[in-house]
Amino acid sequence: MNEVALDLERLRQEIGEVPDPEVPVLTIADLGVLRSVEEVAGRVVVTITPTYSGCPAMSHIAERIAAVLDMHAVEGEVRTVFSPAWTTDWMSDDGRRKLTEYGIAPPHRAPAGDVLVAIRPPVHCPRCGSADTRLVSEFGSTACKAHYSCRSCSEPFDYFKEL
Amino acid sequence: MTTTTTTPLITFLLRTADDNLVLAQRLGALLARMPELEEDIAVANVCLDHLGQARSLYAHAAMLEGLGRSEDDLAMLRDERQFLNATLVEQPDVDFAHTIVRQFFVDAYQVPFYDVLCGASDPVLAGIAEKAMKEARYHLRRSATWVVRLGDGTEESHDRTQAAVDLLWRYTGDLLALDEIEETLVADGVLPSLDGVRGVFDATVASVFAEATLTLPTDPYQRLGGRAGVHTEQFGHLLPEMQRLYRSHPGARW
Ligand SMILES: [Zn+2]
């Protein structure tokens, strides 16, 4: 492995550690928002993809990445791509575990087919593990979450909704 | 500023962006005014998705145009006749039922519409559509659930929802209408055929309305014109409010 390749790998690690400002327990690597870190014509190109079209965290994440590049005096840029579209299926197992520990139920596999007839498996309460939960609202405190409530322990909780 | 849309693709991008921006403006005005906290949060999130879709589409249109205009310039410095949104999205929020029915019609349209756009030959447009379709599917899940809950709810909620359908149905034709812009894009191989969108829309509306015990108006009248910049009176109130700040402080930045 040559020197450039080594540096890129280290840079990828470090950029991957940038936290999601809305769910700080997750990094952009956990989320799958970080798509690639490559060298193109002597410059480093970092490619990210938004979780939602209007995700207000994207510009913040891009700034944090640029700061990492700056810190290492690396010439580069951050690019945003929409395709392939982000899906919660990209979330790492580590990310799912961290979410549950944080009190947010991790996402199911993304549904396919007719959205109106899709059967949704039960969401388990991240606190007590019960499957006896109910959807309070399709939307929660941020675009990526839905709001649930647990019938067993009576606690409200967020579900990182599958997309 | 004069109309500078130069290609069918730019016009098409503006039509789609304007649908999303104008709807986002309506939804944004509802913040802190929804009947319950959960719906306030929901409407904020749906608003943000539409705004995000609009921004991506404007940015792409501005890039293709190559005139140095920004996404903000396209949103804030065009005049009423230059806006190409379907008139449905500019209709006011008379009550919660109107908000939900308007959203449901938009969602039922956007799911098959973005599905077609995923096959666009322009990779940026296809990418925006791929992202937006996932959001539209989620929006539809919420709005369809509400339409059934309200329509098949109390007498009061049923009547208000039926009244919203009776008023808003005439504006759905504008969403679904295809003219020489789309025909050119399809003929040139830029877009796959959009002919199937209406069928999917009609089937979604029929199945949800059957469950919601709602009926479509028998009057076939459709008010068209939004795609050519001919808007309803309501738009004349919405636009200055949306653009006032940007126009009052040229060049201002956050
Ligand atoms: Zn519980």
Side-chain angles (χ1 to χ4, degrees):
Chain A
M1 199 182 288
N2 64 31
E3 204 179 320
V4 176
L6 256 177
D7 279 347
L8 263 188
E9 191 44 48
R10 219 180 58 201
L11 210 51
R12 187 179 293 119
Q13 288 281 343
E14 206 167 317
I15 290 169
E17 292 300 315
V18 168
D20 173 6
E22 290 183 337
V23 190
V25 71
L26 294 180
T27 67
I28 58 172
D30 290 332
L31 272 168
V33 160
L34 177 63
R35 302 313 296 153
S36 66
V37 179
E38 297 165 320
E39 195 196 327
V40 179
R43 291 163 55 81
V44 172
V45 175
V46 180
T47 306
I48 55 176
T49 193
T51 52
Y52 288 82
S53 296
C55 180
M58 289 310 286
S59 57
H60 176 82
I61 289 172
E63 279 168 26
R64 292 286 303 263
I65 294 171
V68 174
L69 294 178
D70 270 359
M71 202 169 63
H72 292 281
V74 171
E75 180 89 14
E77 62 176 300
V78 181
R79 283 185 194 161
T80 302
V81 297
F82 291 101
S83 183
W86 181 81
T87 159
T88 41
D89 291 350
W90 292 347
M91 190 182 291
S92 67
D93 289 340
D94 206 30
R96 287 168 192 273
R97 183 184 52 76
K98 285 195 272 185
L99 263 188
T100 311
E101 286 170 9
Y102 191 62
I104 298 174
H108 291 304
R109 305 300 291 180
D114 190 337
V115 67
L116 294 181
V117 296
I119 293 166
R120 291 182 249 169
V123 170
H124 290 260
C125 171
R127 294 173 206 281
C128 72
S130 169
D132 190 14
T133 60
R134 69 181 183 92
L135 175 68
V136 177
S137 171
E138 302 275 9
F139 292 88
S141 54
T142 65
C144 58
K145 285 175 269 171
H147 186 195
Y148 273 74
S149 159
C150 176
R151 289 198 183 93
S152 299
C153 71
S154 308
E155 289 290 330
F157 66 91
D158 272 340
Y159 166 59
F160 203 109
K161 68 202 189 196
E162 75 279 3
L163 185 77
Chain B
M1 190 170 290
T2 54
T3 306
T4 43
T5 51
T6 44
T7 71
L9 181 55
I10 292 171
T11 302
F12 180 77
L13 290 169
L14 290 178
R15 286 176 173 182
T16 310
D18 290 347
D19 279 352
N20 284 295
L21 177 69
V22 173
L23 181 57
Q25 175 68 15
R26 281 282 182 227
L27 296 176
L30 291 171
L31 297 191
R33 293 177 48 211
M34 292 300 275
E36 56 182 30
L37 183 60
E38 285 73 17
E39 277 311 300
D40 215 64
I41 292 168
V43 87
N45 278 296
V46 174
C47 170
L48 201 56
D49 286 342
H50 286 300
L51 191 63
Q53 292 168 21
R55 286 190 58 184
S56 305
L57 292 159
Y58 284 134
H60 190 44
M63 195 274 290
L64 291 177
E65 195 182 55
L67 297 174
R69 291 204 282 183
S70 68
E71 57 181 89
D72 282 350
D73 293 340
L74 287 174
M76 298 301 169
L77 296 181
R78 282 180 304 141
D79 295 326
E80 178 170 340
R81 287 299 304 271
Q82 295 165 333
F83 267 80
L84 305 176
N85 56 280
T87 45
L88 175 69
V89 295
E90 69 204 34
Q91 298 311 308
D93 296 272
V94 177
D95 60 14
F96 185 61
H98 283 72
T99 301
I100 288 297
V101 170
R102 185 185 60 202
Q103 188 69 42
F104 171 67
F105 286 148
V106 170
D107 299 341
Y109 155 76
Q110 283 193 334
V111 169
F113 174 73
Y114 283 136
D115 192 24
V116 170
L117 265 52
C118 289
S121 65
D122 179 327
V124 176
L125 175 56
I128 294 169
E130 200 185 322
K131 182 90 243 159
M133 192 178 67
K134 283 171 173 268
E135 292 159 2
R137 283 165 58 94
Y138 199 80
H139 297 169
L140 179 60
R141 201 160 97 176
R142 164 177 171 266
S143 61
T145 304
W146 267 117
V147 166
V148 172
R149 213 163 136 187
L150 295 174
D152 192 24
T154 64
E155 200 178 317
E156 170 89 10
S157 71
H158 172 88
D159 292 352
R160 283 178 177 239
T161 310
Q162 186 62 57
V165 169
D166 292 346
L167 179 74
L168 295 174
W169 178 251
R170 76 194 63 173
Y171 302 107
T172 56
D174 225 13
L175 272 181
L176 295 154
L178 301 173
D179 63 16
E180 69 282 357
I181 294 292
E182 287 86 6
E183 282 162 19
T184 306
L185 291 171
V186 172
D188 292 350
V190 179
L191 292 182
S193 170
L194 287 153
D195 291 344
V197 173
R198 184 183 288 270
V200 178
F201 171 85
D202 285 342
T204 304
V205 171
S207 78
V208 171
F209 276 19
E211 202 183 336
T213 70
L214 296 167
T215 54
L216 289 177
T218 45
D219 182 355
Y221 170 71
Q222 287 291 321
R223 195 282 187 198
L224 304 175
R227 299 302 188 200
V230 182
H231 295 277
T232 58
E233 186 192 342
Q234 302 295 341
F235 194 59
H237 304 289
L238 179 149
L239 196 65
E241 190 177 331
M242 182 175 83
Q243 296 184 330
R244 191 181 64 87
L245 188 72
Y246 191 84
R247 291 188 183 222
S248 312
H249 304 276
R253 300 234 155 271
W254 284 108

